[in-house]
Amino acid sequence: MRPRGKLTVLLTALALFLGLAGCWEKAPESAFDAKTYVEGRLAEAYLGETSQEYMDLVGYNEVQVESIYQNSLYLEAQVFSYLYGIEYPEDFYEEIQELYKSIYSHIEFLVVSTAREEDGSISVEVEFQPIDLPQRVEREKGEALKSFFEKYPSGVQNTMNDEEYKAYDAEWARLIIDLYKELLPETGNLEPRRVTVKLTQNEAGYYTLSDEEFRKLDAGVIDYSRPGTQTMPEPTQSPGAEESLDPEAPAPPTTASPIPQPEESEASGTETE
């Protein structure tokens, strides 16, 4: 199993950025509307729009909401590139972000309930119907991957120079992105799942949604697990790729390192370790 270090950094960066966005309320505690707050947070991050009530609550305007949305798309593009082992993603970031605008439009959520706890926090239960597009891609990509790795067997990959490898990586990126675009019209939602998060008060008395709590919400939006499981797919990052501690930095390239081929094992009926 490959280490998840960079993926954890990227997901944490996404949650941290979104968790800090709009993380305070300007109204008195008694007037704080947790339902409006959580609905607004999700809408601004994944739809790029939100209610006037939410903006009044946190003191935001349309420009700030759009900025949060664009940063959300950029960070999601980094996660996508890492998950699918795209080592030179810079030329594809804009296209991937446009793709995620369409993917995010399928978000389905409902704030089911809110409750004030004895410790002063507010529990919020949210029901999601996770977007199923990654699972559709997992089910349909077998034939495309088979053709790709027949064209680029390990022996060919290992003899590539830098220029050849970059072209190979670009073809790999195009394959994955096109699979997503091809299946995008079929995007649906999975069975409802409920997530409970807590809003806590900081030293100034303002309610905040920590990065850890926002990650719980983020995990409900899109289901990246393999079909029939609750397990994230193994990233196809090449062995030895350098990990970055800068959450805003694109995934660093690795020169002439072949993309692993886990799907070949599945095709042959051999279990990948």
Side-chain angles (χ1 to χ4, degrees):
M1 180 175 290
R2 300 184 187 283
R4 302 284 178 85
K6 181 179 291 182
L7 179 60
T8 300
V9 169
L10 290 172
L11 291 175
T12 300
L14 178 61
L16 179 59
F17 173 79
L18 298 175
L20 291 177
C23 65
W24 56 88
E25 52 100 346
K26 292 203 162 190
E29 179 181 344
S30 60
F32 180 66
D33 187 341
K35 182 176 184 292
T36 295
Y37 177 78
V38 172
E39 287 176 341
R41 294 294 313 285
L42 290 168
E44 74 175 353
Y46 300 107
L47 297 174
E49 57 187 38
T50 192
S51 66
Q52 186 62 50
E53 290 80 6
Y54 169 77
M55 289 191 289
D56 291 343
L57 188 66
V58 299
Y60 272 14
N61 57 38
E62 290 86 352
V63 174
Q64 290 166 301
V65 168
E66 178 64 18
S67 176
I68 290 168
Y69 178 56
Q70 293 300 327
N71 276 279
S72 173
L73 293 170
Y74 177 71
L75 288 168
E76 195 76 65
Q78 291 189 55
V79 172
F80 178 93
S81 299
Y82 177 69
L83 279 176
Y84 291 103
I86 302 170
E87 296 190 56
Y88 298 90
E90 292 80 6
D91 292 341
F92 298 96
Y93 274 150
E94 184 174 343
E95 185 176 1
I96 296 171
Q97 289 176 71
E98 287 299 314
L99 173 64
Y100 269 91
K101 285 182 181 180
S102 298
I103 295 173
Y104 279 165
S105 71
H106 293 273
I107 187 173
E108 294 285 348
F109 67 89
L110 174 69
V111 175
V112 177
S113 65
T114 66
R116 290 186 179 269
E117 305 294 345
E118 292 183 0
D119 61 2
S121 65
I122 302 177
S123 295
V124 182
E125 185 176 30
V126 184
E127 182 175 277
F128 289 96
Q129 290 179 262
I131 297 169
D132 70 352
L133 184 55
Q135 295 210 355
R136 291 179 181 271
V137 170
E138 283 292 313
R139 286 193 291 265
E140 299 294 331
K141 72 180 185 181
E143 193 60 36
L145 292 188
K146 180 180 178 182
S147 299
F148 182 83
F149 288 120
E150 284 177 351
K151 181 179 179 180
Y152 295 108
S154 297
V156 172
Q157 296 176 39
N158 292 333
T159 61
M160 290 178 179
N161 58 33
D162 289 356
E163 184 177 346
E164 291 170 334
Y165 184 75
K166 287 181 179 180
Y168 158 78
D169 185 68
E171 188 172 337
W172 168 256
R174 174 53 51 208
L175 182 153
I176 297 297
I177 293 170
D178 285 351
L179 274 173
Y180 265 77
K181 287 184 173 182
E182 178 184 343
L183 294 171
L184 184 61
E186 302 175 24
T187 301
N189 299 84
L190 300 172
E191 290 298 311
R193 303 173 188 174
R194 292 193 177 188
V195 176
T196 300
V197 295
K198 277 193 173 185
L199 305 177
T200 55
Q201 289 179 294
N202 62 19
E203 294 180 357
Y206 296 144
Y207 282 100
T208 65
L209 188 63
S210 70
D211 59 312
E212 180 180 355
E213 293 299 289
F214 196 91
R215 282 188 67 176
K216 295 178 183 177
L217 296 177
D218 184 65
V221 176
I222 302 175
D223 192 331
Y224 286 104
S225 64
R226 292 190 182 279
T229 76
Q230 295 295 316
T231 305
M232 288 281 285
E234 281 299 307
T236 51
Q237 184 187 25
S238 298
E242 180 182 346
E243 294 196 2
S244 170
L245 296 180
D246 180 357
E248 296 186 359
T254 300
T255 303
S257 298
I259 294 174
Q261 306 174 40
E263 305 302 332
E264 287 188 343
S265 299
E266 293 176 11
S268 64
T270 302
E271 182 178 352
T272 302
E273 296 184 355

